[in-house]
Every structure is written in structure tokens, then in C-alpha cells.
């Protein structure tokens, strides 16, 4: 079920009604758990088993780690969790990728290489990272394992964040699930407002941009250089509005239910450096990679060369997390290399004052990264890059709605640097909030594209 | 769950904390006692603000919607044509592909506001087709009728009778009605062929019932309201009723068949249907008939540019059949392809997609030029100078 479907609105309405009428926390959590499993099975009921497996394994492993007498036993139990979670993720997400990549090697050894018809379960990357973070945090002694299987199962499967994040840590959500949520009309309205903004971002901006991006990326050689530039910047807008829209809806829905999720985006295109970009883009993934990959690798504690290697390893694996393709690996490497270059640059020169130069250069680095991210092959990357750099003639297509959506993205980011950001929060007590809310609702039902477009991050 | 209240005394006022007796201490929820006194007043103020805000927001959308939302024009029964047409004298906005407002003329003609057939001399052509010939995506001056008039210095008058969704069953029926009524005569009938399905339909009576409730809705409610309801109730092309699904997946997606031309077996059955429809047309129509073949070529499909017509065999067969019936066939494909190769795509708009969709001003101009070139050979007597009518 997608947040943009009418079915979801009805589903959410029923869930809100049901949980409001609940008197006990357990009943409430049971309802939410059942709703979350229904939400997941709406896509494919067969994969609920994986969700159950991940939940059961990490619940019991965490308890075993907590009760283990020796550190070796703890490590062994952690190994079980890592093995099961990464094994499932690896099989469903990366099996075919590795087989295809290794085909020349396998065939040269006289063996037959064949891939399997594997369906990628929606949200597997997200809930695997969540459950892993729980077990690792228990192993590190940062949190105590929960006694309640119900709470833990709900933490893993909680529907607002189940399929595309934000990646919520156990320490953030489990305590909230263990008590009756702090609900108020103001919080509910805040959540509704956020979800509405998320829908606008997704349906009116991301999907409109997607209509142009998909066409141009399908055949970049047909279009003029300016149109390809428009599509590439459009993709930067599409993926931002698509994913941040999804996150806003997730956070908003959770807020309406009385729970608080961490922020996932902070106007990423205002970043003055690539490092800053990763503090603003998919923040919950960035901190996951930092805490569970970069720091365990040694972080920046083992000298400059090792730090640079760690950065690149982290970003390449981060790229691979997004998808099983060499373009994602290349995208991760691109960002890793940019972080390394930036680090070296910052060590030699003081560039902190050149804010706008930093923003522009970061944006260009990120936009080229999106070309790698969106392309289907290295030839595709080359084809788009050629059009971007050499401005070959072709169809000059300037879709007004896409240009308007890019304009809105620029204005939104620019306004955030001024005092206008206070107005953009649409506080309930402001005179313009009812007008803006009404206009947004009308725009949603009136100007939404008629076709149905899934969220970009659902494929990860 | 129980709630314990603790009341603390302050120098000037009371404050009340509600503490939830759950396992972990909840953050106290605080109300000032003055809030109780002011709450009903504030509630009324808030309610008033929201009512006014919602009205203002709706008004804002209503005022700006004509820039972005198509219009809904009521349909009336036209006695001359015997079908339901858009109400003459109205303006018909189209926004989703192209950006134009069409004036609806007498007999529901899109873009032509007068008949002028008595006063003016020259050649009079009735144009039949579907939405491609109707041309609501382009301004009136760029429609086929206006472009023909301009290119011919007002020596050729095209009467656009095309309606969106029509096929040959509708056109043949209307031609027969026009002839029977004897209220309106033309020198020739022009048919714009874009999709063969319009001419390979089973022979049937054009059953059309004017839905008075729809016309009443169009006449009564603002377009943005109608569009909103339509968006909620329908999906895809706007005519398929939305069906909600609540059962768990997986759901098998319908298989998409790619269009790859016509097989021999299909060609035979298509030719049979074509032949039947052309025979029927010949029987109903005394005036010369001209077919302008302008299929959806060139096209951009799945990132590929398609210049070759996959239905060439159908066209060849159609030509043979037309030759037998004395119909004229014009082929606009080469001109369309040449325009596209020159960077001027005949189909598509900036707010749509090039190589897809309806004919734009360029496409209409090419069709108009085809008609003009043919009219040079089409004498005053209404007979072409060509021996073989099916060869343009």
C-alpha cells in the first residue's frame, strides 16, 4: 500500500479511529501491529514471513546477548543476527547481481552461471538495518533488550516507516511504544500538516518531474543539451521531493498516531560541502553508516590515509545498499571520492567563507552523482554525460510544469535561509494556515497526475 | 489507566499537571487556568478563522483554476448532424496537452464560428475525424480548418465536424443525416485517419444518447469541482471508474502487448472490415471522399524513435480498396517524418511529450498542406485530375 493511494487514506482513518478508542497500551500496539502486517501484505503477503523471521531472530538474539556470560558468546550471538539478516538481504537483493558480475569468471572455469527469478521484498533494506541496529546496540550495551515481543515486532514492522524509512533506532521508538503516546490536538494537526506537505511534494512535484525525467533518461541522445540538463536537475528535484515527501508523510502519520520519528532531510541542496550534504540527506541512513560501519572500521582515528579508505568503503557500501548494480557502486565511490577530495582541500585551504561557491560546487557534484544513480548502465552514464558536456542538437523540450517544480525547489531552499522559514512551518495559530492548508488539499485532488507512480525508494 | 492530579499553588494563578501513571514518567501536560476561561473564546476564533480561511482558499483555487483546468461544456442535440455536440457559442479550454481555448461554432464545430457557406465561393470540405482532427490542443488559428483557409487564401473552407472518440460508424451516420436533411452541403468529405481502429470497427448504428444530467452538471458546476470529483472517482484516462483494492497482494499486473504491426491473418480480417465500412460509406455519400493518412508516425516509444509505419500493409490494402470505390487517399507520413527529422515534431507539446499524443500546430499545418496540394488537382467540378483516385 502506498501513501498516495486512496486506500491508504481509508486505512489510516480506520487505524486512527481504532487506536483512539483503545484504552490499553497493549491493545493499541496489537492493533498497530496487525495494521502494519496488513499494510505490508497489501504488496505481497508471502514476504510477511521474512519480516517475522527478522523480528524473531533479533528479539531472541538480543535477549541471548544480554544474558550471555562471556564476550565470545555475545559475539557468537551477534554473528547469528548478522548472518541471518545479511544473509536474507544478500540473497534477495544481491544474489543475481553477484552471479551476473561473476559470470565471466564462472564460465571461464567451465561452469554454468544462471540467475534466479528473485523478487526483491519491499523495504527489506530498511527493516534489516533497523533490526541490525537493535542487536548491535544491545551487544554494545547501549540499550537493554526489550521484554515485550509485541513492542519489538511493532518496532520492526511499524507501517509508517516500514518500507522506506526513516531508519528509526530502537532507542528512539521502543520507549515510545512502551508507554501510552503523548497525544494532543496540536500534535495531531502538526502531523496532518506534515503529511499533507509530504503528499504535495510527492504527487505534485516529484511525479511531475518524473514524467520528464523518465522520458529524457530513456533516450538522452534524442534531446538537446539544455533539455538533458533540465532532466538531470529535474531528477535531483524528483528524488529529493519523492523521498523527503515519503519521509514527511511517514513522520506526519507517526505524529498523528502519537509517535515521534527522527528527521531525515534538512534542505540538502543548501549543503556547503559533500560532508554537509550527508548531514542533510537521508540523515538516518548517514548516521547508521557512521555508527555501524565507518566508526567500527576505525573512523578518523587511524591516520589520514586510513580515514580516506574508510570513507570510500563506507560510501561504496552505502551505494550498494541502495541497489544491486554497478552504477550504485560507482555513485557511492563518487561520493566517497568527493568526501576525500573535500577533506584534503579543507586541510589545505580555508573555504568556510565561500558559502555560495560551496553550495554551487556541492550541488554540481551531487547532481552528477544523481546521473550515476539514475542511469541503468555505464553506457547510459556516458550518453547522458556527452549530452551534458557537448550540447549535441536534439529535441528542445522545455516542460513548463517541470521548470515550475525546479523553480519551487530553488525558492523553497532559498526561503529556508531567510525568515520566511517561520511562515513555511504553517503553525496552527497563524492566519494564513487555514488558507494554505485548503489550497494544498485542493491542489492535491485537482492537479495530481492521473497515473500512479510508486515512490523511488521503494525499489531499495 | 488512571490519572493523578496534583495542584500546585502559584502567586497569581493555579496550574494543573496531569501525570500519566504509566511505567515511565510521561511529560506533564500543562494547562493554565486562564486557558479554561479563554478556551471557548479562542475556540470560536479558531473556528471562524478556519471557516474564513477555507472559503478564501477555495476562492483562490476557483479563481486561478481556469489557467490550469480544462472546461466542461454542456452538449446539445444538433438536429442537422443528428448527434450531440458541444454547445455552440461556448469556449472550450484544454490544458493538459497544449494550452488552448476553442470557440465552438454552429453545429458544434470546434474553432469555426460561422458557416459562411452561402456567401463565399471556393471549395467546401467537411472534415471528419476523432480528437486528432478536432484539435482542441491548439488555438483556433492553428487548427486544420484555419490553416487550410489561410494557406488557400480563403479559397478552401473546411467545416470541422470531428469529435473526440468518434469512429467511422459515427461519421457515416452523420453524413447520411446531413444528406437527408439537405440543410448543409459540401463539395467533398475529408477523413483524417490516424488509427486504423477507427475504420476497422464492426459495422454498427451510431447509438448515441445525450445524457441530460451530464450536460446539466457541466452547465451548473464550476469546472474545478467537476474535475475534482472526476479525479477521485475515475482513474487513468478519466473514464475508467476507480476500483479500490483492500485484499492483500500480490496482484498480477496486466500484460502489456507491444504493437508490432499486423499479421497476415489479422490483415485479412481488417481488410474485410475496412471493405465493409468503405462500401457503406460509398452507399451513404454522393460527394467525393478524401482520406488523409496521418498515423502516429513518427513517434517516440520507450526511448526509441519510430519512423517506419508498422501498418504499411494495412495502408496498402486500404489504398486498393479506396481505388475500387473511387476515394482519394493522401499520405502525410513523408512530410511528418521530414518535419521531425528537421527538429519540428508534428505531434506533442511542451506540456506533454514530443513524439506522443495529439497533432500540434506543425502537424495540423502538414495536414492542411496535403489538402491544399490535393485541391490544386481537385478541379472546380469536384473531380481530381488524377486517373487513379487512390494515388495522391
Amino acid at each position: 500500500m502506498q501513501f498516495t493511494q486512496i486506500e491508504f487514506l481509508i486505512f489510516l482513518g480506520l487505524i486512527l479511529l481504532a487506536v483512539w478508542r483503545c484504552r490499553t497500551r497493549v491493545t493499541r500496539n496489537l492493533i498497530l501491529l496487525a495494521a502494519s502486517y496488513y499494510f505490508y501484505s497489501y504488496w505481497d503477503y508471502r514476504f510477511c514471513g521474512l519480516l517475522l523471521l527478522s523480528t524473531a531472530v533479533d528479539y531472541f538474539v538480543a535477549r541471548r546477548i544480554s544474558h550471555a556470560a562471556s564476550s565470545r558468546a555475545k559475539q557468537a550471538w551477534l554473528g547469528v543476527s548478522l548472518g541471518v539478516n545479511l544473509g536474507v538481504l544478500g540473497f534477495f537483493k544481491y544474489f543475481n547481481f553477484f552471479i551476473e558480475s561473476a559470470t565471466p569468471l564462472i564460465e571461464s572455469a567451465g561452469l554454468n552461471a544462471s540467475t534466479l527469478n528473485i523478487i526483491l521484498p519491499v523495504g527489506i533494506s530498511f527493516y534489516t538495518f533497523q533490526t541490525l541496529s537493535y542487536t548491535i546496540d544491545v551487544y554494545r550495551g547501549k540499550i537493554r533488550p526489550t521484554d515485550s515481543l509485541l513492542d519489538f515486532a511493532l518496532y520492526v514492522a511499524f507501517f509508517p516507516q516500514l518500507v522506506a524509512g526513516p531508519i528509526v533506532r530502537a532507542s528512539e521508538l521502543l520507549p515510545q511504544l512502551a508507554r501510552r503516546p503523548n497525544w494532543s490536538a496540536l500534535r495531531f494537526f502538526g502531523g496532518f500538516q506534515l503529511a499533507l506537505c509530504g503528499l504535495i511534494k510527492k504527487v505534485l512535484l516529484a511525479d511531475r518531474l518524473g514524467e520528464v525525467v523518465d522520458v529524457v533518461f530513456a533516450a538522452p541522445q534524442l534531446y538537446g543539451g539544455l533539455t538533458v540538463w533540465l532532466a538531470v536537475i529535474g531528477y535531483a528535484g524528483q528524488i529529493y521531493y519523492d523521498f523527503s515527501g515519503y519521509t514527511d508523510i511517514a513522520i506526519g502519520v507517526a505524529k498523528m498516531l502519537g509517535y515521534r520519528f527522527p528527521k531525515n532531510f534538512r534542505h540538502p541542496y543548501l549543503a556547503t560541502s559533500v560532508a554537509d550534504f550527508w548531514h542533510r540527506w537521508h540523515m538516518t541512513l548517514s548516521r547508521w553508516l557512521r555508527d555501524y560501519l565507518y566508526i567500527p572500521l576505525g573512523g578518523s582515528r587511524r591516520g589520514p590515509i586510513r580515514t580516506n579508505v574508510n570513507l570510500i568503503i563506507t560510501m561504496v557500501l552505502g551505494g550498494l545498499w541502495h541497489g544491486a548494480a554497478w552504477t550504485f557502486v560507482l555513485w557511492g565511490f563518487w561520493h566517497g571520492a568527493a568526501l576525500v577530495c573535500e577533506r584534503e582541500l579543507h586541510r589545505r585551504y580555508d573555504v568556510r567563507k565561500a558559502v555560495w561557491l560551496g553550495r554551487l560546487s556541492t550541488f554540481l557534484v551531487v547532481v552528477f552523482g544523481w546521473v550515476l544513480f539514475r542511469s541503468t548502465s555505464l553506457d547510459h552514464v556516458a550518453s547522458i554525460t556527452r549530452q551534458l558536456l557537448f550540447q549535441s542538437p536534439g529535441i528542445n523540450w522545455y516542460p513548463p510544469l517541470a521548470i515550475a517544480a525546479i523553480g519551487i525547489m530553488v525558492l523553497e531552499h532559498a526561503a529556508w535561509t531567510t525568515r520566511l522559514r517561520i511562515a513555511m512551518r504553517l503553525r496552527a495559530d497563524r492566519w494564513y494556515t487555514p488558507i494554505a492548508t485548503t489550497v494544498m488539499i485542493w491542489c492535491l485532488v485537482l492537479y495530481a497526475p492521473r497515473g500512479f507512480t510508486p515512490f523511488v525508494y521503494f525499489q531499495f | 489507566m488512571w490519572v493523578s492530579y496534583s495542584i500546585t499553588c502559584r502567586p497569581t494563578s493555579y496550574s494543573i499537571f496531569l501525570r500519566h501513571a504509566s511505567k515511565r514518567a510521561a511529560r506533564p501536560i500543562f494547562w493554565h487556568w486562564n486557558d479554561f476561561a479563554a478556551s471557548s473564546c479562542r475556540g470560536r476564533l479558531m473556528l471562524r478563522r478556519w471557516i474564513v480561511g477555507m472559503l478564501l482558499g477555495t476562492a483562490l483555487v476557483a479563481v486561478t483554476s481556469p489557467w490550469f483546468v480544462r472546461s466542461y461544456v454542456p452538449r446539445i442535440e444538433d438536429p442537422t448532424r443528428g448527434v450531440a455536440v458541444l454547445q455552440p457559442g461556448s469556449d472550450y479550454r484544454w490544458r493538459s496537452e497544449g494550452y488552448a481555448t476553442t470557440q465552438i461554432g454552429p453545429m458544434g464545430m470546434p474553432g469555426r464560428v460561422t458557416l459562411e457557406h452561402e456567401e463565399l465561393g471556393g471549395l467546401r470540405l467537411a472534415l471528419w475525424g476523432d480528437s486528432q482532427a478536432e484539435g482542441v490542443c491548439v488555438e483556433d488559428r492553428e487548427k486544420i480548418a484555419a490553416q487550410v483557409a489561410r494557406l488557400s487564401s480563403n479559397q478552401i473552407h473546411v467545416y470541422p465536424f470531428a469529435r473526440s472518440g468518434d469512429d467511422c460508424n459515427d461519421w457515416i451516420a452523420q453524413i447520411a443525416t446531413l444528406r437527408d436533411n439537405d440543410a448543409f452541403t459540401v463539395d467533398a468529405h475529408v477523413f483524417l485517419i490516424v488509427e486504423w481502429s477507427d475504420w476497422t470497427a464492426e459495422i454498427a448504428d451510431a447509438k448515441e444518447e445525450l445524457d441530460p444530467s451530464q450536460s446539466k452538471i457541466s452547465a451548473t458546476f464550476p469546472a474545478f469541482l467537476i474535475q475534482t470529483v472526476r479525479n477521485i472517482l475515475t482513474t487513468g484516462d478519466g473514464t475508467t471508474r476507480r476500483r479500490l483494492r483492500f485484499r492483500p497482494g500480490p496482484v498480477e499486473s496486466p500484460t502489456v502487448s507491444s504493437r508490432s504491426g499486423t499479421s497476415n491473418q489479422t490483415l485479412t480480417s481488417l481488410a474485410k472490415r475496412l471493405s465493409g465500412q468503405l462500401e457503406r460509406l460509398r452507399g451513404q455519400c454522393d460527394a467525393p471522399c478524401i482520406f488523409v493518412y496521418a498515423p502516429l508516425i513518427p513517434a517516440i516509444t520507450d526511448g526509441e524513435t519510430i519512423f517506419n509505419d508498422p501498418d504499411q500493409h494495412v495502408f496498402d490494402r486500404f489504398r486498393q480498396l479506396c481505388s475500387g470505390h473511387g476515394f482519394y487517399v493522401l499520405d502525410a507520413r513523408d512530410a511528418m517524418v521530414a518535419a521531425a527529422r528537421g527538429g519540428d515534431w508534428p505531434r506533442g507539446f511542451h506540456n506533454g511529450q514530443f513524439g506522443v499524443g495529439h497533432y500540434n500546430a506543425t502537424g495540423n499545418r502538414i495536414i492542411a498542406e496535403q489538402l491544399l496540394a490535393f485541391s490544386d488537382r481537385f478541379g472546380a467540378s469536384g473531380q481530381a485530375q488524377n486517373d487513379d483516385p487512390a494515388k495522391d
Side-chain angles (χ1 to χ4, degrees), chain A residues 1 5-8 10-11 23 25 38 41-46 174-175 178-183 187 189 193 211-212 215 218-219 221-223 260 394-401 428-439 442-448 450-451, chain B residues 1 20 22-27 29 46 49-58 60-61 64-66 68-69 223-225 227-228 230-232 234-240 242-251 300 302-305 343 345 349-354:
Chain A
M1 195 180 285
Q5 286 178 271
I6 290 179
E7 286 92 332
F8 177 74
I10 296 167
F11 164 81
R23 286 177 180 269
R25 184 189 65 82
Y38 168 74
S41 68
Y42 187 84
W43 167 69
D44 195 332
Y45 74 90
R46 293 170 299 180
L174 275 175
R179 63 169 184 259
R180 199 179 158 82
N182 204 358
W183 189 88
R187 267 177 81 99
F189 180 76
Q193 199 72 266
E211 289 172 349
V212 177
V215 171
Q221 72 283 356
L222 289 180
Y223 297 91
R260 189 186 291 272
I395 302 169
N396 293 316
W397 180 31
Y398 306 116
L401 288 177
D429 57 348
R430 302 291 170 178
W431 64 267
Y432 47 76
T433 302
I435 302 173
T437 307
T438 309
V439 169
W442 273 116
C443 287
L444 264 183
V445 289
L446 197 52
Y447 300 127
R450 298 196 71 87
Chain B
M1 193 177 82
H20 294 271
S22 57
K23 280 184 187 173
R24 289 178 175 80
R27 201 178 60 177
I29 303 166
M46 190 70 99
R49 186 182 281 172
W50 271 90
I51 291 170
V52 171
M54 284 164 77
L55 288 173
L56 276 176
T58 306
L60 199 65
V61 171
T64 54
S65 66
F68 310 107
V69 180
F224 81 97
L225 269 184
Q227 186 66 38
T228 299
R230 228 181 137 197
N231 285 349
I232 293 168
T234 64
T235 183
D237 58 357
T239 53
T240 315
R242 188 187 291 278
R243 292 176 69 112
L244 301 180
R245 173 176 76 88
F246 288 99
R247 70 179 163 79
V251 176
I300 299 175
D302 297 332
E304 278 186 39
T305 314
W345 280 75
F349 299 83
H350 281 289
N351 63 339
Q353 184 188 334
F354 284 99

Side-chain angles (χ1 to χ4, degrees), chain A residues 46-91:
Chain A
R46 293 170 299 180
F47 291 105
C48 286
L50 284 179
L51 208 55
L52 276 172
L53 176 76
S54 190
T55 305
V57 166
D58 284 284
Y59 176 74
F60 288 109
V61 162
R63 290 175 68 82
R64 288 286 176 186
I65 288 174
S66 169
H67 293 118
S70 67
S71 61
R72 284 193 69 148
K74 285 185 180 187
Q75 279 176 0
W77 281 113
L78 179 67
V80 171
S81 169
L82 289 172
V84 171
N85 283 301
L86 295 179
V88 169
L89 182 66
F91 175 75

Side-chain angles (χ1 to χ4, degrees), chain B residues 40 95 152 180 266 271 352 380:
Chain B
S40 65
R95 296 291 183 258
S152 68
D180 295 345
T266 326

Side-chain angles (χ1 to χ4, degrees), chain B residues 290-304:
Chain B
I290 305 158
F291 290 91
V292 181
Y293 184 51
L296 302 173
I297 299 293
I300 299 175
T301 310
D302 297 332
E304 278 186 39

Side-chain angles (χ1 to χ4, degrees), chain B residues 2-3 6 28 30 51 104 106 118 170 182 212 218 235 241 258 266 268 276-277 302 317 366 368 372 391:
Chain B
W2 56 275
V3 177
S6 67
F30 171 76
I51 291 170
I104 305 300
E118 291 301 330
D170 301 290
D182 205 20
S218 303
T235 183
R241 187 170 278 270
S258 59
T266 326
T268 316
Q277 292 287 12
D302 297 332
R317 190 82 185 94
I366 291 169
L372 194 73
K391 282 199 172 175

